[in-house]
Amino acid sequence: IVVGALTCILFYFLLLRAGHISGVIRKIFLVSKPIVYGLAIAYLLNPIVKAVDRKLLPFLEKKFPNFKQAKSVSRSVGICISIVILATIIFTLFNMMIPELYKSIRDMIMNVPSQMNRFVKAFNEMHSSDSTVGKILENVMKEATTFIQNWMRTDLMDKVNEWMTQLTAGVILMVREILNFIIGMIVSIYVLFSKEKFMCQAKKLVYAIFRPTKANLILHVGSKSNEIFGGFIIGKIIDSAIIGVLCFIGLSILNIPYTLLVSVI
């Protein structure tokens, strides 16, 4: 009864301080975001590192039986290969997307004036004919012109200031995220290099907090969750690659513009 009452009081206190607690959690997450990025990157690169260890470590131990640093060399090579693969994927995606984005923006800038000229020409032709449609279009254009003039006099400057503020904040946020990603890459290298040590420490912590039966259950659930989630991530990557290739083939056959950009997205 006492435990239930204390739990209810604690829950009520958490509800009263929900806004403050969420703000504290948000600040903690913002500060620890590079670590979160590093853990995520290490988790994604871990299969590559494990594959390199499986292939390279037996070879080093067989060729150099007295070489005590074989495990460190194998792990270093695996981490380097995984980082190179990740950088290559990121560079390739950006190399495919940025030229297509530039081409689409350039085509839009070049085509908009001609489209506007065609619209003005068609409007003048309809306006020149003394018809009901011409009068309706004339009234619509007058109202639209009045609205645009009033909007430019009253709201445009406020909107421009708001857009500039958002643009500045967006640039700062982008630079901050890039720095967080770079720090996360460094953290991921340390995590991958000492992952066995971290796993042993985590197991000791679980056994120190829980009884052996519950600790064994927690570790078993964690291991199965890691296996299932890792398989899901690998399957999702393969699925996305297949969809991108099929999309590229289909759009190429149909001769759709910006095929590569759409396929990558």
Side-chain angles (χ1 to χ4, degrees):
I1 297 174
V2 175
V3 174
L6 291 176
T7 304
C8 293
I9 294 172
L10 179 62
F11 182 71
Y12 180 69
F13 174 78
L14 293 176
L15 287 179
L16 289 178
R17 298 288 189 270
H20 181 69
I21 293 173
S22 63
V24 173
I25 294 174
R26 191 179 300 110
K27 289 181 181 179
I28 294 174
F29 177 75
L30 290 175
V31 173
S32 61
K33 188 178 287 188
I35 300 176
V36 175
Y37 284 173
L39 294 176
I41 294 171
Y43 187 81
L44 292 176
L45 298 183
N46 187 46
I48 302 175
V49 176
K50 289 171 64 177
V52 174
D53 278 342
R54 284 197 302 268
K55 299 293 184 181
L56 185 60
L57 187 57
F59 173 79
L60 291 176
E61 291 176 346
K62 185 183 298 183
K63 292 292 183 180
F64 308 99
N66 297 325
F67 189 47
K68 297 181 180 180
Q69 303 295 329
K71 187 174 181 181
S72 298
V73 172
S74 175
R75 182 60 50 83
S76 301
V77 172
I79 293 174
C80 291
I81 291 175
S82 62
I83 295 295
V84 169
I85 292 175
L86 179 62
T88 302
I89 292 174
I90 295 175
F91 176 77
T92 303
L93 290 177
F94 276 98
N95 193 36
M96 288 190 296
M97 291 183 64
I98 291 177
E100 289 287 318
L101 282 172
Y102 171 76
K103 183 175 180 296
S104 63
I105 295 173
R106 184 194 62 187
D107 293 344
M108 183 181 67
I109 294 174
M110 293 177 63
N111 291 331
V112 165
S114 61
Q115 297 290 337
M116 291 296 296
N117 291 331
R118 290 166 61 184
F119 171 75
V120 171
K121 182 179 179 181
F123 174 76
N124 290 331
E125 291 177 355
M126 296 180 66
H127 180 64
S128 60
S129 60
D130 190 12
S131 61
T132 304
V133 177
K135 293 179 180 179
I136 293 174
L137 287 175
E138 184 178 0
N139 293 330
V140 170
M141 289 299 295
K142 287 181 179 179
E143 293 180 1
T145 303
T146 304
F147 172 77
I148 292 174
Q149 289 176 351
N150 293 332
W151 178 76
M152 292 178 67
R153 291 170 184 169
T154 56
D155 298 336
L156 180 59
M157 291 307 298
D158 294 336
K159 290 292 183 182
V160 169
N161 292 330
E162 183 180 350
W163 291 338
M164 290 302 295
T165 304
Q166 292 178 355
L167 179 62
T168 305
V171 172
I172 294 174
L173 181 62
M174 184 180 67
V175 173
R176 186 181 302 165
E177 291 298 325
I178 292 174
L179 291 176
N180 288 335
F181 182 79
I182 294 174
I183 298 173
M185 291 288 293
I186 299 172
V187 172
S188 68
I189 293 174
Y190 281 102
V191 172
L192 289 171
F193 202 83
S194 305
K195 60 180 181 177
E196 288 84 2
K197 180 180 179 181
F198 292 145
M199 289 175 61
C200 291
Q201 292 174 347
K203 289 181 179 180
K204 289 180 180 179
L205 182 63
V206 171
Y207 280 109
I209 296 175
F210 300 98
R211 287 179 293 182
T213 54
K214 289 186 177 181
N216 291 331
L217 179 62
I218 291 172
L219 293 177
H220 176 71
V221 171
S223 176
K224 294 300 292 184
S225 300
N226 175 52
E227 181 181 347
I228 294 170
F229 187 71
F232 168 76
I233 293 295
I234 295 174
K236 198 66 178 174
I237 292 173
I238 297 174
D239 178 55
S240 300
I242 293 173
I243 291 175
V245 172
L246 292 177
C247 182
F248 179 79
I249 295 173
L251 294 179
S252 300
I253 293 174
L254 296 174
N255 199 20
I256 303 293
Y258 315 119
T259 300
L260 191 59
L261 179 62
V262 176
S263 301
V264 171
I265 294 175

